[in-house]
Structure formats: structure tokens, C-alpha cells
Amino acid sequence: MKVSSACPENIEESSSYYCPVLCAERSGREEEICSFCPELQDQLRDQPRLSRAVRYAADAHRGQCRKGTQIPYLIHLLRTWDYVRQMTDDVEEWEAAVLHDILEDTAITCGELREKFGERVAELVQGESEEKREDCPAPDTWILRKAETICRLRQWVEDEGRLPSMHIAFGDKLANLYSMMYEYRYAGEQIWKKFNQKEKEKHAWYYGEMGRVFSAFFRGGSEKRLVGEYWSYYKEVFGRYEVSGM
């Protein structure tokens, strides 16, 4: 197998290479960040606050991988940032995009986040965080947690003041759906075995309802284009399920 120590121009399925951004060996069959890495590198040089947020998130999530894979979790945070930066040039939203899972999945507290990045960033991250209910097994609370998220975002649909929060939520779900679609191309129906919720129909319901919320909220601009991207990924993964209300 060919191994490259630098970023390759073309990534083949049979190749392996080292990604200096993710600090990990990568396979040509795995999701990558090459398409937006040049823009990321430019922004990390030009935006010290973004660079600080990426370093902070990388340290906090160190050792964490995408569920059922060896892919560093940082890839999800960076892809979320990429989608959010396509919708806004607000650097605080960019920071929140990179940090959006830090309260859910690390030991960092809201107070620590507020002290480091300010009130607004902390509020945006807190608004994107689920109530985990750590005293209950995750599979038992999956439906409840997802229903709470859908309900919360539905309440924001007519509130233009929630635009920054919706940007973060949309970037997160779009990044998740992209990763799901990417892996689905290789793993097919086996993909569902790795999740806490192993029924494909439940995932179809969740991402379908979230998609309807985003479709209702984002009616123009770059956001509308990304809503179309969201539904294209949805249909590739859940094509045999009805998507209503689009």
C-alpha cells in the first residue's frame, strides 16, 4: 500500500497518507477534508480566534473517533465549520461550530467555555447540546433526545433572531448526514449496527424531520443551496423512505 507523508494531490482507495491537520494516518476509503482544507488553512492563518478554537477542540476531543471507526472526531468539527462558514462570516459562529460538541462529549464546562471564548460562543454551544441523561443507557433515551431537538428547533422557525443558532444546528446535522452518506456508500446497511439506535427507520425519521425544519427556516441565499445538498444526501441514504413537507 502506498503511503504518503504529505498531502497527496489525488487520493486513491488503495492509498494511505498522513493528514497533518487531523494528525492521523488516513485511508483512501475514509472520509477526508481535502476539498476545504486550503480554505481552512487560510482562515487559520488569518483568524487567530478560529485557530484557538480548533486547538482547544482538538485537545478536548483528543483520542475520540467517529462512532465505529478510527476516524478522528476532529473531522466532524471541521466539516461543521466548513458548512457554517459557507453561510456566514461571523467568526464567533465559526468558533461555536468547531466547539459545538465540547459540552456534550468532553469534561469542559459551560463556565470554562464562557471564560475562554465569551458569553455568546458559550450560549451558541449550549444551545446545540443535548440533555444526555447520563444515568440512562443511550439507546433507551435516543428517541426522547432527538424529539427534544426537533421540538426545540421547530420553535425557532419563525424567529429570525435564532439565525446563528440555526446555522450551528444545520452545519452539525449536514456534516453528520454527509458522513453517513459517505460511509453508506462502502458499508451499506451494515452502517446501522454501530449506532446506539440501530433501526434505519428511526434515523430516517430524525433526519427527515430536521430537514423539514431547515427547509422551513432557510428560504434563500447560500443556506437554501445547502438545504438542497442536505436532501440529496438524505435521499441517497434513505431513498426508499418518503420525504414529505419539502
Side-chain angles (χ1 to χ4, degrees):
M1 179 177 290
K2 182 180 179 182
V3 178
S4 174
S5 60
C7 298
E9 292 185 7
N10 298 298
I11 298 175
E12 301 175 354
E13 286 193 13
S14 60
S15 68
S16 177
Y17 64 98
Y18 182 79
C19 175
V21 177
L22 298 174
C23 298
E25 286 290 336
R26 312 291 290 123
S27 164
R29 288 177 62 90
E30 295 176 338
E31 179 187 350
E32 37 76 12
I33 60 172
C34 302
S35 62
F36 63 86
C37 193
E39 177 67 21
L40 172 63
Q41 298 284 10
D42 288 344
Q43 295 298 342
L44 289 175
R45 284 191 294 269
D46 296 341
Q47 300 289 348
R49 292 190 56 153
L50 174 65
S51 180
R52 182 182 59 165
V54 170
R55 291 195 304 271
Y56 194 79
D59 287 341
H61 291 276
R62 191 174 305 281
Q64 295 180 5
C65 295
R66 293 292 277 166
K67 194 179 297 293
T69 76
Q70 296 301 309
I71 300 174
Y73 196 75
L74 183 60
I75 197 170
H76 170 67
L77 307 177
L78 295 178
R79 190 169 297 281
T80 300
W81 165 82
D82 180 53
Y83 283 127
V84 171
R85 66 99 183 170
Q86 293 180 55
M87 295 184 276
T88 179
D89 59 3
D90 186 327
V91 177
E92 288 187 328
E93 290 188 41
W94 291 7
E95 292 176 274
V98 171
L99 299 164
H100 75 270
D101 276 334
I102 207 164
L103 297 181
E104 278 190 27
D105 298 333
T106 79
I108 301 297
T109 67
C110 190
E112 291 171 325
L113 198 64
R114 186 180 297 109
E115 181 179 353
K116 189 77 173 180
F117 295 96
E119 184 69 32
R120 183 166 180 254
V121 171
E123 286 184 357
L124 287 171
V125 173
Q126 193 168 31
E128 176 61 10
S129 303
E130 286 185 347
E131 173 55 58
K132 284 287 194 178
R133 296 174 173 84
E134 299 290 353
D135 56 331
C136 301
D140 294 349
T141 63
W142 191 92
I143 289 288
L144 175 59
R145 288 183 285 111
K146 303 311 176 188
E148 287 176 343
T149 299
I150 293 166
C151 182
R152 182 174 71 252
L153 267 65
R154 278 178 178 161
Q155 295 174 350
W156 296 352
V157 166
E158 301 301 328
D159 185 354
E160 294 182 0
R162 290 291 187 174
L163 179 62
S165 295
M166 289 293 279
H167 279 158
I168 308 304
F170 184 35
D172 174 32
K173 300 307 178 290
L174 186 50
N176 275 338
L177 195 54
Y178 175 90
S179 297
M180 191 179 292
M181 175 274 298
Y182 194 94
E183 188 173 354
Y184 186 74
R185 290 178 177 178
Y186 292 105
E189 299 303 324
Q190 298 299 311
I191 188 177
W192 313 112
K193 294 181 178 181
K194 72 176 186 175
F195 291 112
N196 290 323
Q197 175 53 253
K198 304 187 185 307
E199 296 183 43
K200 181 177 182 177
E201 291 84 353
K202 298 295 193 305
H203 292 276
W205 159 76
Y206 177 56
Y207 284 96
E209 291 300 311
M210 292 296 285
R212 285 192 276 277
V213 170
F214 298 135
S215 294
F217 188 87
F218 297 118
R219 298 186 178 94
S222 57
E223 291 95 339
K224 184 176 181 180
R225 173 183 58 80
L226 289 173
V227 168
E229 188 172 321
Y230 181 100
W231 285 118
S232 71
Y233 298 152
Y234 182 94
K235 289 177 181 177
E236 181 167 343
V237 179
F238 304 111
R240 63 194 179 101
Y241 298 99
E242 181 180 359
V243 180
S244 61
M246 291 176 57

